Amino acid sequence: MFEELTSTIEFQMSLLLFVALGGYLLATRIHQSAVIGEILVGLVVGPSILGLITYTDFIDGLAGLGSIILLFVIGFEFEVRDIANWKYCVIALVGVVVPWIGGYLCAMLFGMDFYSAIFIGTALTATSIAITANVLREMGKLHQPFAKAIIGAAVIDDVLSLIVLSVCQDLSATGELAVSGILFMIIKAFGFVIVGALVGAKFIPKLLNWMDGTRIVRKFPEFVFIFAMMIAFFYAMCAEAVGISAIVGAFL
């Protein structure tokens, strides 16, 4: 009976929210970001220690939804010119190349084979834009130049990491690079980022402003919010379709 109760979505959801509140309290006590407190408490109640919460499809989906909504909200704080900067491209490139090569060399030093070493280097190129953005938001630093550099580089880094992963997959599968396939993927990924950012900057705000004055919005004010969330999840879906992270699409 108890096991059936603890496995229900209702119990998992209520426990997750309770744990999240505990994370906030812990973070306040240790004078750290709420993200740190949530991660620490999550480790305790998760499968690693107590096992009160198991990593089910529901938890995975909930985490994805939370990340998408978080980056969607943070995207309101930025404009296209805030991330369209060649300096951020350089930062992102260094942030991918250095961990990739460093991870590869370290793995080779530990006696791993070439393909394993390449994949370890690839794993080290990944960034966590959601955690970074949330910490910067809590600190009230999102509008600082260094924050724009971090977020802008992280968006570009996600695309570059996709390219690195594709290269590794080709090498492990065939031992050769499919140049045409990689070029197509690069065009597709950067094309989505550019087109998505331009459409989001030029047309969607005008559409939302127009909707604000319509009769249906005056009667149902939540209509604009629902429409905005629809756009966020549509962008997230398109981002995953081209192979990049859904949260990058929501951010755009």
Side-chain angles (χ1 to χ4, degrees), residues 88-237:
Y88 304 161
C89 295
V90 174
I91 295 172
L93 185 62
V94 173
V96 169
V97 172
V98 172
W100 191 21
I101 295 176
Y104 167 78
L105 293 177
C106 287
M108 293 296 287
L109 286 175
F110 280 94
M112 295 185 179
D113 61 88
F114 172 77
Y115 296 112
S116 298
I118 283 290
F119 271 102
I120 288 176
T122 302
L124 294 177
T125 63
T127 58
S128 180
I129 182 175
I131 293 177
T132 305
N134 194 41
V135 171
L136 290 171
R137 180 183 61 83
E138 289 181 13
M139 296 172 61
K141 303 292 186 181
L142 277 179
H143 295 288
Q144 296 296 323
F146 71 86
K148 294 178 180 179
I150 292 172
I151 300 298
V155 172
I156 301 169
D157 184 277
D158 195 86
V159 179
L160 295 178
S161 297
L162 171 66
I163 298 170
V164 171
L165 179 61
S166 178
V167 169
C168 292
Q169 287 177 332
D170 285 346
L171 287 175
S172 62
T174 63
E176 299 178 353
L177 288 178
V179 178
S180 59
I182 293 174
L183 286 176
F184 175 70
M185 183 195 60
I186 293 173
I187 294 172
K188 185 171 60 173
F190 277 103
F192 167 75
V193 171
I194 294 170
V195 173
L198 291 177
V199 170
K202 298 294 184 181
F203 299 105
I204 294 179
K206 294 179 181 178
L207 179 59
L208 292 176
N209 289 333
W210 172 79
M211 290 175 62
D212 272 335
T214 59
R215 182 183 303 174
I216 189 172
V217 171
R218 287 195 294 269
K219 186 175 181 180
F220 304 106
E222 67 275 11
F223 186 86
V224 174
F225 170 76
I226 295 173
F227 180 82
M229 293 306 301
M230 180 196 73
I231 294 295
F233 284 106
F234 177 75
Y235 263 62
M237 178 196 69

Side-chain angles (χ1 to χ4, degrees), residues 78-85 197-198 200-201:
F78 289 83
E79 297 183 11
V80 175
R81 62 174 177 268
D82 291 331
I83 58 174
N85 190 315
L198 291 177

